[in-house]
Amino acid sequence: MAIASHSITHPKNLADLDDPELRWEVTESKRILEEKLGVSVKHFVYPEGNYDERVKAAVRQAGYRSALTMSNQVDRFANESEDLLSIDRLGQSKLSMAIAQSDGGAPLPPPGSAFNFTAPVRKRQLELDGVRLVLFSGGRPVTLHADSRYQVSEIIANTPAVAAVDGGFFSMKYLDSNVMIGPVYSQNTGQFVPGSAWDISKIGGRPLVLVGPAGVKFVPFNPQQHNTLAGIRKLMPDVTDAFVAGAWLVKDGKGRSPASFRDLFGFDVPRHRAFWGIDQAGQPVVGVSKERVDSVALGELLSRAGLREVVMLDSGASASLAYGDELLVDYTPRPVPHAVALFPPVESEMAQGCSELPVARAESGCNGRDRCLDALTAFVPGTAPLDSVPR
């Protein structure tokens, strides 16, 4: 959802105002909204659609990146607009016409069923109950099993990964070990490595994560059935990645109860947490908590954030989120041998379009609404934002 300014007093035509009045209408409304709501207001809607070049210049100078207008004489869709500071829109009386003629895009998947690995990777930052969450969603989920322990940013170096989080739990016996707790199967090695007999006897019932070209399964790990490649192929014949996670944080869109974590060590202790899962739109999501939080509370927050299935990855000192070569945690995390990454979708017209705009790969990401607009405005003459935009 984007918040737009609409002036202070809603004059019929901003062009009738003198310069001080005009400046006050467009800047003061922006200031009040940003102060009250704590968000950046980047968009303006001309009262009654009226403006001229002087008004447009004042809106640009106030720091807006786009502005919407409308005409009582001619109805035009947004893609017919002259520029981003005069985006055409239809009046409410034309809503039925707009619905009939608009391109609705790809249909949303049925809740809790389908998957979508064709969306561009985008970044979200949100704060719920004082806990800041950093998430990346979209793209294709891919796991990477390294030959030793490294920072996540090093594991995804020289790969197409846009973002990645530390993966499954691993053995602490040797500092240079890449031995995982439970079986592991990753696309970068193409090798199935079974878990040790001692380990798998302790982790029955934890989430076994199976990734395929078009979907993901989270099933309770059965040591007798799922410690071979043939065993996991019975669950997913085209499986490309597999590992055992720590616990479910969200299942069927709901946070988990304390009892569901059984005897998992430290689940109720506030720690930095790493996680990955699927949101309600069927897109893969990786992320971390910037504050220490217990597993039950985190599950509730992620449920509220719109995720339908989430599992906990190695957390505490190992929790790490990388965006390219940048680590997005406020400490130096423990090196790990395994990562869950988001690769760009194989076929995505939107991703291809945004890839031509370097800023679309910057921190704000690209979600098809505000974020793609942020990217576009940096390259449209006369509409570059006044605040700094990563390039």
Side-chain angles (χ1 to χ4, degrees):
M1 181 175 65
I3 304 295
S5 168
H6 197 41
S7 78
I8 292 288
T9 65
H10 200 277
K12 286 185 174 294
N13 193 340
L14 289 171
D16 294 336
L17 305 181
D18 60 28
D19 287 347
E21 291 175 319
L22 171 59
R23 190 180 309 112
W24 181 75
E25 290 283 356
V26 300
T27 59
E28 185 68 4
S29 56
K30 186 177 194 294
R31 184 195 67 78
I32 293 172
L33 287 170
E34 292 180 335
E35 179 182 292
K36 297 294 185 183
L37 301 178
V39 299
S40 179
V41 175
K42 305 172 184 177
H43 317 292
F44 188 80
V45 182
Y46 300 113
E48 301 197 16
N50 297 317
Y51 73 99
D52 59 13
E53 290 302 314
R54 183 175 66 94
V55 173
K56 185 192 292 188
V59 168
R60 180 188 299 116
Q61 185 63 34
Y64 297 101
R65 298 186 180 183
S66 75
L68 285 81
T69 182
M70 60 184 294
S71 170
N72 292 322
Q73 288 75 44
V74 181
D75 288 312
R76 285 190 293 263
F77 286 99
N79 65 319
E80 302 173 280
S81 305
E82 182 179 319
D83 56 42
L84 290 174
L85 288 173
S86 54
I87 299 175
D88 289 294
R89 62 192 177 99
L90 304 179
Q92 296 179 20
S93 61
K94 301 291 185 178
L95 184 59
S96 59
M97 183 193 81
I99 293 175
Q101 296 187 30
S102 65
D103 177 7
L108 288 174
S113 59
F115 297 90
N116 178 8
F117 293 169
T118 65
V121 179
R122 66 183 180 96
K123 180 182 179 183
R124 285 178 69 194
Q125 298 183 91
L126 62 157
E127 183 173 334
L128 297 171
D129 295 348
V131 178
R132 292 171 298 160
L133 302 173
V134 184
L135 311 91
F136 285 87
S137 62
R140 296 180 292 123
V142 175
T143 69
L144 302 169
H145 190 198
D147 59 4
S148 185
R149 297 185 195 171
Y150 306 92
Q151 295 295 343
V152 173
S153 56
E154 296 175 309
I155 294 177
I156 66 173
N158 303 314
T159 77
V162 177
V165 70
D166 63 283
F169 290 73
F170 57 94
S171 171
M172 297 288 289
K173 188 173 182 180
Y174 301 107
L175 292 177
D176 59 352
S177 169
N178 73 340
V179 176
M180 303 296 293
I181 304 299
V184 60
Y185 185 47
S186 292
Q187 289 190 45
N188 69 313
T189 66
Q191 203 171 24
F192 181 88
V193 182
S196 73
W198 188 89
D199 283 338
I200 64 175
S201 67
K202 307 291 184 182
I203 60 173
R206 291 190 184 184
L208 172 64
V209 180
L210 302 175
V211 180
V216 176
K217 285 187 176 181
F218 303 93
V219 298
F221 176 65
N222 184 313
Q224 287 72 46
Q225 298 177 11
H226 303 150
N227 202 37
T228 65
L229 184 57
I232 63 173
R233 281 180 172 164
K234 288 182 179 180
L235 297 172
M236 180 181 281
D238 57 353
V239 62
T240 58
D241 302 80
F243 68 95
V244 179
W248 270 278
L249 295 172
V250 177
K251 192 171 178 60
D252 298 326
K254 298 179 180 179
R256 304 287 280 162
S257 69
S260 69
F261 291 89
R262 298 189 295 180
D263 58 351
L264 181 66
F265 177 78
F267 81 89
D268 54 349
V269 177
R271 290 179 176 168
H272 291 107
R273 302 273 176 190
F275 52 86
W276 105 272
I278 300 294
D279 65 17
Q280 295 292 353
Q283 298 178 18
V285 178
V286 299
V288 294
S289 64
K290 299 283 279 187
E291 275 74 37
R292 292 178 173 86
V293 61
D294 69 80
S295 302
V296 176
L298 179 59
E300 291 296 328
L301 299 181
L302 294 174
S303 172
R304 286 163 53 188
L307 278 73
R308 82 181 190 217
E309 297 281 338
V310 189
V311 295
M312 182 172 65
L313 304 175
D314 200 355
S315 294
S318 298
S320 180
L321 178 65
Y323 175 61
D325 59 2
E326 179 185 3
L327 289 176
L328 302 183
V329 291
D330 302 326
Y331 49 86
T332 301
R334 176 192 293 139
V336 297
H338 188 251
V340 181
L342 298 181
F343 279 31
V346 174
E347 296 179 2
S348 172
E349 293 181 5
M350 187 174 184
Q352 183 178 358
C354 284
S355 68
E356 299 171 3
L357 306 175
V359 73
R361 294 180 58 81
E363 182 173 298
S364 60
C366 174
N367 68 359
R369 296 186 182 91
D370 240 14
R371 302 310 190 192
C372 261
L373 186 58
D374 290 350
L376 289 167
T377 53
F379 291 88
V380 177
T383 60
L386 298 180
D387 55 327
S388 60
V389 176
R391 297 178 186 275

